[in-house]
Amino acid sequence: MSKPGRPLGLSIAIFVSALLFAILPLVQVAFYLSVYLRFRNIEFLEGGGASGADILGLSGGELILQTVVSLIFLVIAVLAWRGKPARIRMVFVGAVIIMTLATIVATVLAFNAKNGAAQGFDSGAVLADSLLQARLIFTLLVAAYVLWYVNRGPARAFYRGYYLEAPEEETADR
């Protein structure tokens, strides 16, 4: 028997989960840093930079944590793509579950964080709520697809490195 190849469904599962849990958060960090640097370089009349408002909404520690977690997930996704070591299937599934739970918690916290009069009113709150709902739904769909496909026979054979033997035909004596 030949070594099983990577099924298309597994390739899709790895690609979409890496996009959702690694690439998009890294793009978000790059966007935040770009905005921060733009505002820091603004010159006013007396030579000071822009200050007085929290334009990012995230602290430096949160950005570092998001970057590290995204890079770790990206390494796991690359190893899952390669299929080696064989245990990476379970590590990948565990990472997807952890990232899904973290996204659910972050989304629920964002839904519950209502701005008061001290923070000002935001006309984009309705859009933000719609985007949070879409993120939650998309995250749950991706997690369900990954969990379903990674546990299918062709994906397990790919990570195992060989196909299982066909079951023997039962005799008619029974």
Side-chain angles (χ1 to χ4, degrees):
M1 278 190 214
S2 64
K3 183 178 181 209
R6 183 184 322 100
L8 176 62
L10 180 62
S11 298
I12 292 170
I14 294 169
F15 177 74
V16 171
S17 64
L19 183 66
L20 180 65
F21 297 128
I23 304 300
L24 288 178
L26 289 174
V27 168
Q28 183 183 22
V29 168
F31 177 75
Y32 282 152
L33 292 177
S34 172
V35 169
Y36 173 76
L37 291 175
R38 292 273 183 186
F39 274 98
R40 197 180 85 185
N41 291 331
I42 293 176
E43 296 285 333
F44 288 106
L45 293 176
E46 296 183 18
S51 64
D54 182 16
I55 58 169
L56 294 180
L58 294 174
S59 68
E62 291 171 331
L63 289 176
I64 291 171
L65 178 65
Q66 183 170 337
T67 302
V68 169
V69 169
S70 297
L71 290 175
I72 289 171
F73 189 87
L74 193 59
V75 168
I76 292 171
V78 167
L79 291 174
W81 181 268
R82 286 189 56 229
K84 299 224 182 323
R87 285 176 263 130
I88 197 65
R89 179 175 76 92
M90 297 313 296
V91 172
F92 180 63
V93 167
V96 167
I97 291 171
I98 289 170
M99 295 297 287
T100 301
L101 291 175
T103 302
I104 290 170
V105 168
T107 304
V108 168
L109 290 175
F111 272 131
N112 292 334
K114 298 295 179 192
N115 289 338
Q119 287 86 16
F121 294 103
D122 184 9
S123 62
V126 174
L127 176 64
D129 285 347
S130 296
L131 291 175
L132 286 172
Q133 291 171 356
R135 177 175 79 170
L136 183 62
I137 291 169
F138 190 66
T139 299
L140 291 173
L141 288 174
V142 167
Y145 179 76
V146 168
L147 293 175
W148 170 72
Y149 202 88
V150 169
N151 289 309
R152 291 191 68 223
R156 288 194 320 259
F158 169 72
Y159 286 114
R160 191 181 317 114
Y162 58 90
Y163 293 106
L164 294 178
E165 295 294 324
E168 296 293 327
E169 294 293 326
E170 292 190 31
T171 59
D173 296 337
R174 298 203 305 167

